[in-house]
Amino acid sequence: MQSKVAAYITCYQDQESANRCIQAIESQSIQITAIYIVDNSDKPLLLNNNSQLLLIHHYPNNIGIAAGLVKALKWAIDQKYDFLWTFDQDSIPTKNCLEILLRNYHQLSQKDNYEIGIIAPTASDIKTNNIIEGTVFLKDHFVAVKHNNNVDFYECDSPITSGSLISLTAAQTISPPCAEFFIDGIDFDYGLRLKNKGFRNLIVTKAIMHHNFGNPIQVRFLNKHRYIQKYSALRHYYICRNHTYLEIRFSQGHYRLSCLIRRIKYMIDKILNIILYDLEDKQLKIWACFLGTYHGLIGVIGKRW
């Protein structure tokens, strides 16, 4: 079955990564017919548009990932596309990634009557070679779904945004992503709302995407090595705020209390990591964790940092 697919990329200050992502999308074994780009950089990036597929929208005020995704979804629905394939600029899908995703989508929806909201590839972190897992919401928090390479696909509540192939039929049944989140947590919220509407969100094991997941650093603790993410103060703020906001609101009854305890523990853990391992802007990053958690608890969202 022929499907009409558009891609979407959020770009910010990294021309080289954005052009690599564009090239990987244009090189797919199944042709994309348009690539909708939101460029949040201070100055417009010089993006390779040799194929004339790019629709570039420059927002030097930085509208964030969430508002960009809202605009792209509205455009794709208005243009009567079947799917929107969404990307961060630092992702590279393998050449047959889209072909595998579409084949699995059509097989499952036609043979097994799956109503699919999002079908996503297996995302592998370029720096650590670790699988970037989707999540499920368990009572009071989001938890990673253990990757299972022995099956063709498995379900989750929320795949990561980058690489997600969104069914626009499903997208029209719920409200758009929350633009007020700016960055971080958009995938948690949107995926879970699709799931709660009755759609299934899947990760396909044979569809592969390489992704640059944050800025991991290897540290030694109790004679063991582990990776932690080194974030800017801005990222610490939005991660603490949006994840707190979502988990508190998706929790029900007495689970809100256990969620509150978890979020405070998370904040303390991040602050300890900053104190122990981060050499830059310690006080500002600690403040970002405090403020983000507080704003998440009281429901303050929007572009605040």
Side-chain angles (χ1 to χ4, degrees):
M1 179 183 291
Q2 188 71 26
S3 297
K4 190 178 178 184
V5 183
Y8 163 70
I9 310 172
T10 308
C11 298
Y12 182 71
Q13 307 288 66
D14 189 345
Q15 183 171 292
E16 186 177 344
S17 291
N19 279 323
R20 281 199 299 265
C21 183
I22 290 167
Q23 183 179 10
I25 294 170
E26 290 177 342
S27 300
Q28 290 296 299
S29 56
I30 290 181
Q31 183 64 50
I32 292 285
T33 56
I35 304 175
Y36 189 103
I37 290 177
V38 165
D39 181 5
N40 285 319
S41 309
D42 297 337
K43 296 180 181 179
L45 299 179
L46 298 177
L47 302 177
N48 298 332
N49 194 16
N50 299 327
S51 61
Q52 300 298 306
L53 295 181
L54 305 189
L55 303 170
I56 303 170
H57 306 268
H58 182 224
Y59 297 95
N61 58 323
N62 191 357
I63 63 172
I65 294 171
L69 185 54
V70 171
K71 290 179 181 296
L73 279 166
K74 183 180 185 305
W75 167 83
I77 290 168
D78 289 345
Q79 296 298 313
K80 313 235 181 272
Y81 279 90
D82 299 306
F83 298 95
L84 184 68
W85 201 19
T86 64
F87 286 95
D88 298 339
Q89 66 187 7
D90 46 9
S91 295
I92 302 174
T94 56
K95 190 170 184 177
N96 61 350
C97 186
L98 178 60
E99 181 181 348
I100 295 171
L101 291 177
L102 285 172
R103 183 168 66 244
N104 277 270
Y105 178 91
H106 291 306
Q107 285 177 352
L108 291 168
S109 57
Q110 291 170 11
K111 287 185 179 180
D112 300 316
N113 294 319
Y114 275 45
E115 291 193 45
I116 300 172
I118 298 171
I119 191 164
T122 297
S124 175
D125 184 8
I126 294 169
K127 293 180 180 176
T128 65
N129 290 320
N130 292 332
I131 299 299
I132 305 163
E133 297 152 324
T135 62
V136 293
F137 187 75
L138 294 180
K139 298 179 180 178
D140 61 1
H141 68 296
F142 287 97
V143 61
V145 177
K146 186 172 179 56
H147 180 70
N148 183 0
N149 210 38
N150 296 319
V151 297
D152 291 332
F153 67 92
Y154 56 93
E155 294 192 40
C156 65
D157 290 345
S158 306
I160 66 169
T161 302
S162 195
S164 284
L165 186 66
I166 302 173
S167 163
L168 297 181
T169 299
Q172 292 178 75
T173 68
I174 65 169
S175 59
C178 179
E180 295 295 295
F181 288 152
F182 188 61
I183 57 173
D184 288 305
I186 301 124
D187 46 0
F188 288 7
D189 171 60
Y190 194 63
L192 185 53
R193 288 195 288 113
L194 279 170
K195 177 75 177 295
N196 290 341
K197 190 70 175 179
F199 294 97
R200 301 167 90 161
N201 299 325
L202 312 176
I203 293 177
V204 178
T205 54
K206 290 182 175 60
I208 305 297
M209 179 187 74
H210 303 293
H211 183 65
N212 191 359
F213 186 62
N215 185 23
I217 58 173
Q218 192 177 62
V219 300
R220 189 178 180 87
F221 183 73
L222 297 178
N223 292 321
K224 291 184 179 180
H225 287 97
R226 66 186 180 110
Y227 284 103
I228 64 169
Q229 290 289 345
K230 185 179 179 182
Y231 291 123
S232 65
L234 177 145
R235 287 295 305 278
H236 278 298
Y237 170 78
Y238 284 109
I239 289 170
C240 286
R241 189 196 72 179
N242 292 350
H243 293 198
T244 300
Y245 177 90
L246 288 169
E247 290 184 351
I248 286 287
R249 279 149 188 80
F250 281 127
S251 298
Q252 300 294 319
H254 68 275
Y255 287 114
R256 288 194 171 185
L257 177 58
S258 58
C259 178
L260 171 63
I261 295 169
R262 281 183 180 274
R263 293 313 306 173
I264 292 173
K265 286 182 176 178
Y266 177 89
M267 179 190 71
I268 292 170
D269 179 62
K270 294 301 118 180
I271 290 172
L272 287 175
N273 284 340
I274 291 166
I275 292 170
L276 291 173
Y277 305 116
D278 204 326
L279 302 178
E280 301 173 352
D281 301 323
K282 285 182 184 285
Q283 290 184 336
L284 185 61
K285 291 176 181 178
I286 290 169
W287 171 242
C289 292
F290 272 117
L291 185 64
T293 301
Y294 173 67
H295 279 173
L297 290 173
I298 65 173
V300 172
I301 52 177
K303 188 178 178 181
R304 298 278 174 172
W305 192 273

